[in-house]
Amino acid sequence: MPVKTIIEPFRIKSVEPIRWTTRQERQRLLEAAHYNMFLLPAADVLIDLLTDSGTGAMSTRQWAAIMEGDESYAGSRSFDHFRDSIQEIFGFRHVIPTHQGRAAERILFGVACKHGGVVPNNTHFDTTRANVEFAGAEAVDLLIPEGRQPALPHPFKGNMDVEALDSLIERVGRERVPLVMLTVTNNSGGGQPVSMENVRQASAVCKRHGIPLYFDACRFAENAWFIKTREEGYADKTPKEIAQEMFGYGDGCTMSAKKDGMANIGGFLCTNDDRLAQQEKDLLILTEGYPTYGGLAGRDLEAIAVGVQEALEEDYLRYRIASIAYLGNHIAAAGVPIVLPPGGHAIYLDARAFLPHIPCHQFPGAALAAELYLEGGVRSVEIGTLMFAAAAQMDLVRLAIPRRVYTQSHIDYLVEVILDVWEKRKQIGGMRLTYEAPFLRHFTAHLEPVKGADA
Ligand code: F0G
């Protein structure tokens, strides 16, 4: 049978209008938002690619499950559905609900980390790093060197450098390492996957030193699809079988259900360690809620119970990964510099290579994000000098694709907008900060274009 176009594996039952604005309006809106994408009203954005977190569309089955939500404080039936669904995929003994991923991180590191501890990860996401540091420990990123070169294609650019892991543990001593973490897929490094072989090797290093291995599992289903399509021996396995095998090498996980949980809010923490689970539940009661709801409504638990299963459906994953690859490959073919290969949830534009005439201290990523909005009403996010200041190793602009929200024609429109901006790249100028908060400045910073003699 000839290969046919990969289509959205759903039809649309409820629509949400999006609003066109004129270029003049967008110019005015940009100025009012001080050129900061976080300060734009969402209603004035045509295609919103700020994040794939909590922005997905739920299915009819999820909405039906929501009506079944049991809002009992303790022993809710919805918790049983939630736990059973998660255990079937993740396999861990204890499942602890939280209001989102960072709450699971805070509880895990709060209980497992001591002052002076060291937590290795392929790459910590920013909330993960902040929670490790808040617990008094050091967060160490041990990505393979290929993962730090945007233009270099590699099938598993999210892999951990397992030799570096081994020597780090030898150097600092195993008693200082409470756990090792693998982020699947690696969001901060371009949404790149981790291979099963790498999971197996990391797990072997951990076992040899007697250290538990945890997953930051936010995009576990997308990672499973990359293993199925790129790693030898997995083509005939289902994404669920792949996820089950992967989690089988670990001792627990943190999860934001706002990503591959297909929900608008929620998360969870899993562990096989009975003693740790008890301490985590005690802390949960203090700040999140009773262990059968953990800061969520019963209906949220139901939506997640259905969502984690739907995220693993083959038709869905085939469409999701193909749609993002289509966007990345089309713009890359025209010369636009992106992180290669295309990631699982987003395309990352390399702003330093896109705008080589703008020095880093004039925020090439923020300038590019502003131009994408001006050109086509597209909202993206800068991950670079504005976000990390001098610590930024790259200046990227992330176009994160919400799950099941935009169709192929939206993606074609995005290609057109990006290529129009690419054509005009030489006319794009740098930006200057006019206000910054003492920490996490990118959320509230004010910027303005650099003009005249300063440029
Ligand atoms: N870990 C990873 C890899 C993430 O990408 C995120 C969130 C979290 C943990 C925290 O989860 O938001 O539910 O508390 N990433 C979002 C993003 C915010 O836009 O990439 P959360």
Side-chain angles (χ1 to χ4, degrees):
M1 202 173 74
V3 180
K4 296 212 167 61
T5 303
I6 296 171
I7 60 169
E8 288 83 5
F10 48 80
R11 50 185 183 176
I12 295 166
K13 185 168 257 177
S14 181
V15 296
E16 184 181 6
I18 49 179
R19 190 171 95 85
W20 289 93
T21 44
T22 63
R23 196 182 175 89
Q24 266 170 328
E25 280 178 293
R26 290 195 293 277
Q27 183 61 54
R28 200 175 39 73
L29 287 158
L30 259 183
E31 283 163 25
H34 303 280
Y35 293 85
N36 182 337
M37 296 295 116
F38 285 100
L39 302 182
L40 277 174
D44 298 321
V45 174
L46 187 68
I47 308 243
D48 201 346
L49 309 182
L50 188 68
T51 179
D52 64 320
S53 180
T55 52
M58 288 205 291
S59 67
T60 49
R61 277 182 289 163
Q62 283 178 296
W63 283 110
I66 275 178
M67 286 307 291
E68 298 282 349
D70 173 356
E71 306 300 344
S72 306
Y73 189 94
S76 150
R77 189 179 59 236
S78 296
F79 175 72
D80 296 339
H81 296 161
F82 175 82
R83 181 201 52 218
D84 293 350
S85 177
I86 290 164
Q87 271 178 341
E88 195 222 338
I89 300 163
F90 291 69
F92 300 119
R93 198 147 62 235
H94 301 278
V95 180
I96 300 170
T98 59
H99 80 273
Q100 62 184 80
R102 64 199 71 182
E105 293 165 1
R106 188 184 56 79
I107 289 170
L108 172 64
F109 299 128
V111 167
C113 283
K114 285 202 294 281
H115 208 79
V118 176
V119 178
N121 197 324
N122 46 350
T123 311
H124 289 83
F125 179 67
D126 50 11
T127 60
T128 325
R129 169 174 290 277
N131 275 297
V132 168
E133 291 171 354
F134 189 67
E138 187 190 348
V140 181
D141 292 342
L142 297 175
L143 192 63
I144 55 167
E146 292 89 333
R148 280 189 286 270
Q149 298 175 51
L152 184 82
H154 181 290
F156 293 102
K157 252 177 143 172
N159 280 355
M160 180 176 262
D161 184 338
V162 282
E163 280 173 28
L165 173 65
D166 201 27
S167 44
L168 175 78
I169 299 169
E170 295 282 355
R171 197 169 67 247
V172 304
R174 75 139 313 277
E175 48 315 318
R176 278 181 64 197
V177 185
L179 58 99
V180 171
M181 208 159 200
L182 276 176
T183 303
V184 294
T185 59
N186 181 20
N187 182 13
S188 310
Q192 301 292 326
V194 176
S195 72
M196 194 71 87
E197 193 195 0
N198 191 248
V199 173
R200 230 178 271 126
Q201 290 170 343
S203 160
V205 170
C206 289
K207 284 214 167 66
R208 201 161 61 246
H209 293 281
I211 298 171
L213 175 65
Y214 275 70
F215 291 93
D216 177 339
C218 294
R219 298 175 180 88
F220 73 97
E222 289 162 7
N223 199 87
W225 185 257
F226 284 122
I227 289 176
K228 180 177 169 68
T229 53
R230 292 184 186 169
E231 191 163 351
E232 213 184 304
Y234 289 93
D236 296 330
K237 294 216 154 71
T238 64
K240 187 185 281 184
E241 286 166 342
I242 294 169
Q244 287 165 334
E245 180 184 337
M246 183 183 77
F247 291 124
Y249 294 115
D251 303 281
C253 73
T254 57
M255 172 77 184
S256 167
K258 301 171 76 171
K259 284 86 169 174
D260 279 346
M262 301 292 223
N264 301 119
I265 195 72
F268 52 87
L269 172 57
C270 293
T271 181
N272 283 335
D273 182 329
D274 297 340
R275 204 173 51 86
L276 202 66
Q278 194 51 55
Q279 293 173 343
E280 287 168 350
K281 285 180 199 170
D282 292 344
L283 191 54
L284 188 85
I285 293 174
L286 196 65
T287 58
E288 288 279 300
Y290 192 72
T292 57
Y293 74 87
L296 294 171
R299 56 180 172 270
D300 299 326
L301 299 170
E302 294 283 355
I304 296 165
V306 176
V308 287
Q309 299 286 341
E310 289 184 347
L312 288 166
E313 285 171 8
E314 293 204 16
D315 286 346
Y316 159 71
L317 283 170
R318 183 179 297 108
Y319 134 79
R320 166 116 181 118
I321 302 300
S323 157
I324 290 165
Y326 176 97
L327 171 60
N329 292 335
H330 271 71
I331 58 174
V336 177
I338 65 167
V339 174
L340 287 169
H345 67 295
I347 293 297
Y348 295 66
L349 305 176
D350 180 350
R352 284 186 196 171
F354 199 115
L355 302 171
H357 56 284
I358 301 183
C360 294
H361 69 270
Q362 288 185 3
F363 309 107
L368 182 52
E371 198 65 27
L372 289 167
Y373 178 71
L374 189 62
E375 184 66 35
V378 175
R379 175 155 72 167
S380 54
V381 68
E382 189 259 15
I383 303 182
T385 308
L386 184 59
M387 190 178 274
F388 300 121
Q393 299 199 345
M394 298 188 269
D395 275 282
L396 303 176
V397 173
R398 184 182 76 170
L399 307 163
I401 314 294
R403 294 170 180 76
R404 306 190 290 208
V405 168
Y406 296 115
T407 64
Q408 181 64 24
S409 61
H410 292 112
I411 301 284
D412 279 321
Y413 172 83
L414 284 169
V415 171
E416 288 168 13
V417 171
I418 296 163
L419 294 185
D420 284 346
V421 172
W422 177 241
E423 285 304 312
K424 298 180 188 162
R425 63 191 179 279
K426 296 209 172 74
Q427 295 149 39
I428 301 171
M431 311 290 287
R432 170 180 32 230
L433 266 176
T434 58
Y435 163 76
E436 66 177 308
F439 47 85
L440 293 173
R441 66 177 184 180
H442 55 286
F443 289 120
T444 52
H446 293 181
L447 299 143
E448 67 180 17
V450 175
K451 289 199 190 84
D454 298 345

